[in-house]
């Protein structure tokens, strides 16, 4: 069973690498949008938008409770976003996100 899992992970990694390369070379916003629509459900797209908005509000030092209330999401959703925000140094990865998404 472990061999099958390893084989499956290899395919998943190759597929993910393919996607990263494709996204990196695609400058057409409409094309990128179609790719993401094909890959993500509407709910996943909305959750991604919420995660980015959470990052923007955290950059502006809005409290987690205020973010929860503003976005109408649970405090656990905001807490998970805050954890990732700090773990992955979002300030460096996505500088000025609030300005870019008009928060």
């Amino acid at each position: 069973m472990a061999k099958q899992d390893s084989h499956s992970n290899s395919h998943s990694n190759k597929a993910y690498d393919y996607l990263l390369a494709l996204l990196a070379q695609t400058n057409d916003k409409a094309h990128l949008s179609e790719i993401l629509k094909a890959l993500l459900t509407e709910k996943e797209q909305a959750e991604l938008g919420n995660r980015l908005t959470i990052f923007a509000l955290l950059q502006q030092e809005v409290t987690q409770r205020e973010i929860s209330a503003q976005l109408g999401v649970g405090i656990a959703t905001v807490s998970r976003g805050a954890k990732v925000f700090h773990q992955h140094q979002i300030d460096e990865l996505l500088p000025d996100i609030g300005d870019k998404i008009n928060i």
Side-chain angles (χ1 to χ4, degrees):
M1 183 96 172
K3 187 174 183 179
Q4 184 179 5
D5 288 343
S6 175
H7 185 69
S8 178
N9 285 340
S10 174
H11 286 293
S12 294
N13 291 340
K14 287 178 183 178
Y16 191 74
D17 288 344
Y18 165 79
L19 177 62
L20 291 177
L22 179 65
L23 294 176
Q25 70 185 9
T26 304
N27 293 323
D28 181 344
K29 183 178 175 182
H31 186 120
L32 288 170
S33 178
E34 288 302 314
I35 291 169
L36 292 177
K37 285 179 185 177
L39 292 172
L40 304 171
T41 66
E42 286 184 24
K43 182 179 178 183
E44 291 167 335
Q45 292 170 49
E47 289 171 356
L48 183 57
N50 274 343
R51 176 65 62 96
L52 292 169
T53 303
I54 289 167
F55 291 162
L57 293 169
L58 289 169
Q59 282 180 338
Q60 295 175 6
E61 299 182 5
V62 177
T63 68
Q64 290 186 28
R65 290 199 186 281
E66 290 172 324
I67 293 170
S68 175
Q70 277 186 32
L71 298 181
V73 298
I75 193 70
T77 299
V78 179
S79 295
R80 282 189 300 275
K83 181 179 179 181
V84 171
F85 181 84
H86 296 294
Q87 283 179 335
H88 294 281
Q89 300 170 336
I90 297 301
D91 279 332
E92 293 176 24
L93 290 174
L94 303 170
D96 304 319
I97 189 174
D99 294 340
K100 304 294 183 193
I101 62 173
N102 298 318
I103 296 286

